[in-house]
Amino acid sequence: MMEFEEVIEKRYSVRRFQDKPVEREKLKKILEIVNSAPSAGNLQSYFVFIVKNEEKRKEIARACFNQYFIQEAPLVLVFCADLNRASAYGKRGEELYSLQDATIAATFAMLAAVDLGLGSVWIGAFDEKEIAEILDLPSHLRPVAVLPIGYPAERPGERKRRKIEDICREV
Protein backbone atom coordinates (compact mmCIF):
# COMPACT_ATOMS: atom_id res chain seq x y z
CA MET A 1 0.00 0.00 0.00
CA MET A 2 1.23 3.46 -0.90
CA GLU A 3 1.37 6.44 1.38
CA PHE A 4 -1.43 8.94 0.71
CA GLU A 5 0.81 11.57 -0.89
CA GLU A 6 2.27 8.93 -3.20
CA VAL A 7 -1.22 7.94 -4.34
CA ILE A 8 -2.01 11.58 -5.11
CA GLU A 9 1.29 12.01 -6.95
CA LYS A 10 0.78 8.87 -9.05
CA ARG A 11 -2.80 9.62 -10.04
CA TYR A 12 -3.22 10.69 -13.64
CA SER A 13 -5.95 10.36 -16.24
CA VAL A 14 -5.66 7.13 -18.23
CA ARG A 15 -7.20 6.91 -21.68
CA ARG A 16 -5.41 3.77 -22.87
CA PHE A 17 -5.74 0.47 -21.06
CA GLN A 18 -3.98 -2.87 -21.29
CA ASP A 19 -6.01 -5.85 -22.42
CA LYS A 20 -5.98 -7.33 -18.92
CA PRO A 21 -8.93 -7.84 -16.57
CA VAL A 22 -9.15 -6.22 -13.16
CA GLU A 23 -8.91 -8.95 -10.55
CA ARG A 24 -11.98 -9.65 -8.44
CA GLU A 25 -10.05 -8.92 -5.23
CA LYS A 26 -9.03 -5.48 -6.54
CA LEU A 27 -12.60 -4.62 -7.52
CA LYS A 28 -13.78 -5.77 -4.09
CA LYS A 29 -11.18 -3.53 -2.41
CA ILE A 30 -12.22 -0.53 -4.54
CA LEU A 31 -15.87 -1.08 -3.58
CA GLU A 32 -14.98 -1.40 0.11
CA ILE A 33 -13.16 1.93 -0.08
CA VAL A 34 -16.12 3.49 -1.94
CA ASN A 35 -18.35 2.25 0.88
CA SER A 36 -16.17 4.10 3.41
CA ALA A 37 -16.53 7.47 1.66
CA PRO A 38 -18.07 10.25 3.75
CA SER A 39 -21.58 11.34 2.88
CA ALA A 40 -24.21 13.81 4.06
CA GLY A 41 -25.74 12.48 7.24
CA ASN A 42 -24.11 9.12 6.44
CA LEU A 43 -27.01 8.48 4.06
CA GLN A 44 -24.67 7.20 1.33
CA SER A 45 -27.01 8.62 -1.26
CA TYR A 46 -25.32 7.07 -4.27
CA PHE A 47 -25.39 3.81 -6.20
CA VAL A 48 -22.61 2.28 -8.30
CA PHE A 49 -23.09 0.24 -11.46
CA ILE A 50 -20.27 -2.19 -12.22
CA VAL A 51 -20.04 -2.65 -15.97
CA LYS A 52 -17.87 -5.47 -17.30
CA ASN A 53 -20.00 -6.47 -20.28
CA GLU A 54 -18.24 -5.47 -23.51
CA GLU A 55 -21.40 -4.43 -25.36
CA LYS A 56 -22.57 -2.27 -22.44
CA ARG A 57 -19.12 -0.63 -22.26
CA LYS A 58 -19.41 0.18 -25.99
CA GLU A 59 -22.85 1.69 -25.47
CA ILE A 60 -21.55 3.75 -22.55
CA ALA A 61 -18.61 4.97 -24.67
CA ARG A 62 -21.09 6.14 -27.34
CA ALA A 63 -23.24 7.84 -24.70
CA CYS A 64 -20.09 9.63 -23.50
CA PHE A 65 -20.04 11.49 -26.81
CA ASN A 66 -18.04 8.80 -28.61
CA GLN A 67 -15.14 8.56 -26.17
CA TYR A 68 -14.34 5.10 -27.45
CA PHE A 69 -11.31 4.55 -25.23
CA ILE A 70 -13.86 3.89 -22.45
CA GLN A 71 -14.79 0.54 -23.99
CA GLU A 72 -11.11 -0.52 -23.83
CA ALA A 73 -11.19 -0.47 -20.04
CA PRO A 74 -12.08 -3.90 -18.68
CA LEU A 75 -14.19 -2.30 -15.98
CA VAL A 76 -16.41 0.78 -15.95
CA LEU A 77 -18.00 2.10 -12.79
CA VAL A 78 -20.97 4.43 -13.19
CA PHE A 79 -21.71 6.50 -10.11
CA CYS A 80 -25.27 7.67 -9.65
CA ALA A 81 -26.79 10.09 -7.19
CA ASP A 82 -29.63 8.45 -5.30
CA LEU A 83 -32.20 11.23 -4.95
CA ASN A 84 -34.49 9.16 -2.73
CA ARG A 85 -31.81 8.44 -0.12
CA ALA A 86 -30.96 12.14 0.09
CA SER A 87 -34.60 13.26 0.33
CA ALA A 88 -34.27 13.29 4.13
CA TYR A 89 -32.67 16.71 3.55
CA GLY A 90 -35.44 17.89 1.23
CA LYS A 91 -34.78 19.55 -2.11
CA ARG A 92 -31.19 20.52 -1.18
CA GLY A 93 -30.46 16.88 -0.35
CA GLU A 94 -31.87 15.67 -3.65
CA GLU A 95 -30.27 18.37 -5.81
CA LEU A 96 -26.91 18.81 -4.08
CA TYR A 97 -26.04 16.35 -1.32
CA SER A 98 -26.72 13.27 -3.45
CA LEU A 99 -24.44 14.67 -6.19
CA GLN A 100 -21.74 15.43 -3.66
CA ASP A 101 -22.04 11.95 -2.15
CA ALA A 102 -21.72 10.31 -5.55
CA THR A 103 -18.71 12.41 -6.55
CA ILE A 104 -16.93 11.81 -3.25
CA ALA A 105 -17.51 8.06 -3.69
CA ALA A 106 -16.15 8.24 -7.26
CA THR A 107 -13.07 10.11 -6.06
CA PHE A 108 -12.43 7.44 -3.44
CA ALA A 109 -12.72 4.78 -6.18
CA MET A 110 -10.28 6.67 -8.39
CA LEU A 111 -7.69 6.94 -5.61
CA ALA A 112 -8.20 3.32 -4.54
CA ALA A 113 -7.54 2.23 -8.13
CA VAL A 114 -4.20 4.08 -8.13
CA ASP A 115 -3.24 2.46 -4.84
CA LEU A 116 -3.92 -0.95 -6.42
CA GLY A 117 -1.75 -0.27 -9.47
CA LEU A 118 -4.69 0.55 -11.73
CA GLY A 119 -5.58 3.65 -13.68
CA SER A 120 -8.76 5.54 -14.44
CA VAL A 121 -10.12 8.75 -15.84
CA TRP A 122 -13.08 10.81 -14.67
CA ILE A 123 -15.75 11.12 -17.37
CA GLY A 124 -18.35 13.80 -16.78
CA ALA A 125 -19.25 14.41 -20.43
CA PHE A 126 -22.14 12.12 -21.29
CA ASP A 127 -25.78 12.11 -22.25
CA GLU A 128 -27.60 11.43 -18.98
CA LYS A 129 -30.70 10.06 -20.68
CA GLU A 130 -28.67 7.61 -22.77
CA ILE A 131 -26.73 6.37 -19.73
CA ALA A 132 -30.02 5.99 -17.86
CA GLU A 133 -31.44 3.90 -20.73
CA ILE A 134 -28.34 1.73 -21.08
CA LEU A 135 -28.35 0.91 -17.37
CA ASP A 136 -32.15 0.85 -17.07
CA LEU A 137 -32.00 3.37 -14.24
CA PRO A 138 -35.04 4.05 -12.09
CA SER A 139 -36.03 7.72 -12.03
CA HIS A 140 -34.49 8.33 -8.59
CA LEU A 141 -30.96 7.50 -9.81
CA ARG A 142 -29.08 10.20 -11.71
CA PRO A 143 -25.76 9.34 -13.41
CA VAL A 144 -23.01 11.66 -12.22
CA ALA A 145 -19.65 10.16 -13.20
CA VAL A 146 -18.33 7.39 -15.43
CA LEU A 147 -15.04 5.86 -14.30
CA PRO A 148 -13.27 3.45 -16.67
CA ILE A 149 -10.72 1.41 -14.69
CA GLY A 150 -7.93 -0.89 -15.80
CA TYR A 151 -4.21 -1.36 -16.10
CA PRO A 152 -2.68 1.72 -17.76
CA ALA A 153 -1.15 1.32 -21.22
CA GLU A 154 0.22 4.86 -21.16
CA ARG A 155 1.99 7.30 -18.92
CA PRO A 156 1.24 10.91 -19.85
CA GLY A 157 3.77 13.68 -19.40
CA GLU A 158 3.99 16.03 -16.47
CA ARG A 159 0.82 17.93 -15.61
CA LYS A 160 0.89 21.65 -14.99
CA ARG A 161 -0.98 22.78 -11.92
CA ARG A 162 -2.05 26.25 -10.87
CA LYS A 163 -0.18 28.02 -8.08
CA ILE A 164 -1.71 27.68 -4.63
CA GLU A 165 -2.12 31.48 -4.53
CA ASP A 166 -4.27 31.26 -7.68
CA ILE A 167 -6.74 28.77 -6.23
CA CYS A 168 -7.39 30.06 -2.72
CA ARG A 169 -7.76 33.15 -0.60
CA GLU A 170 -7.71 33.49 3.15
CA VAL A 171 -10.60 35.53 4.54
Side-chain angles (χ1 to χ4, degrees):
M1 251 182 140
M2 294 182 221
E3 293 293 323
F4 181 72
E5 285 186 39
E6 186 181 2
V7 170
I8 298 300
E9 242 176 59
K10 290 189 177 217
R11 194 221 56 84
Y12 59 92
S13 294
V14 175
R15 290 179 179 84
R16 289 191 55 232
F17 298 92
Q18 295 177 32
D19 185 18
K20 179 179 175 183
V22 173
E23 296 87 344
R24 181 177 299 228
E25 303 78 36
K26 288 188 177 187
L27 173 58
K28 182 177 185 265
K29 186 65 176 171
I30 290 168
L31 297 175
E32 287 170 353
I33 289 171
V34 163
N35 196 38
S36 72
S39 64
N42 196 33
L43 291 176
Q44 298 172 305
S45 57
Y46 58 85
F47 194 84
V48 184
F49 286 83
I50 303 160
V51 184
K52 295 180 181 178
N53 177 277
E54 186 175 1
E55 189 53 42
K56 288 283 185 197
R57 293 191 331 260
K58 284 180 184 177
E59 291 176 34
I60 289 170
R62 279 193 295 274
C64 292
F65 307 118
N66 302 319
Q67 296 185 67
Y68 290 111
F69 67 86
I70 294 169
Q71 71 192 39
E72 294 174 14
L75 171 66
V76 176
L77 300 181
V78 180
F79 289 81
C80 296
D82 186 333
L83 310 182
N84 285 354
R85 289 192 67 81
S87 66
Y89 290 111
K91 188 172 181 159
R92 186 165 176 87
E94 292 172 11
E95 293 178 357
L96 178 62
Y97 300 162
S98 63
L99 297 175
Q100 292 173 331
D101 286 358
T103 56
I104 293 168
T107 301
F108 271 48
M110 179 178 271
L111 296 175
V114 172
D115 193 41
L116 295 167
L118 301 166
S120 66
V121 61
W122 187 287
I123 307 292
F126 54 82
D127 183 308
E128 274 191 50
K129 288 182 181 179
E130 282 187 50
I131 295 290
E133 287 175 17
I134 292 164
L135 298 175
D136 195 26
L137 298 183
S139 61
H140 70 279
L141 292 182
R142 179 180 177 196
V144 173
V146 174
L147 204 65
I149 297 176
Y151 286 92
E154 67 176 357
R155 174 72 180 145
E158 188 175 333
R159 304 169 303 214
K160 290 197 176 241
R161 306 306 293 181
R162 294 168 55 196
K163 294 179 185 176
I164 298 298
E165 303 82 43
D166 293 342
I167 63 170
C168 31
R169 176 179 67 179
E170 189 172 332
V171 291

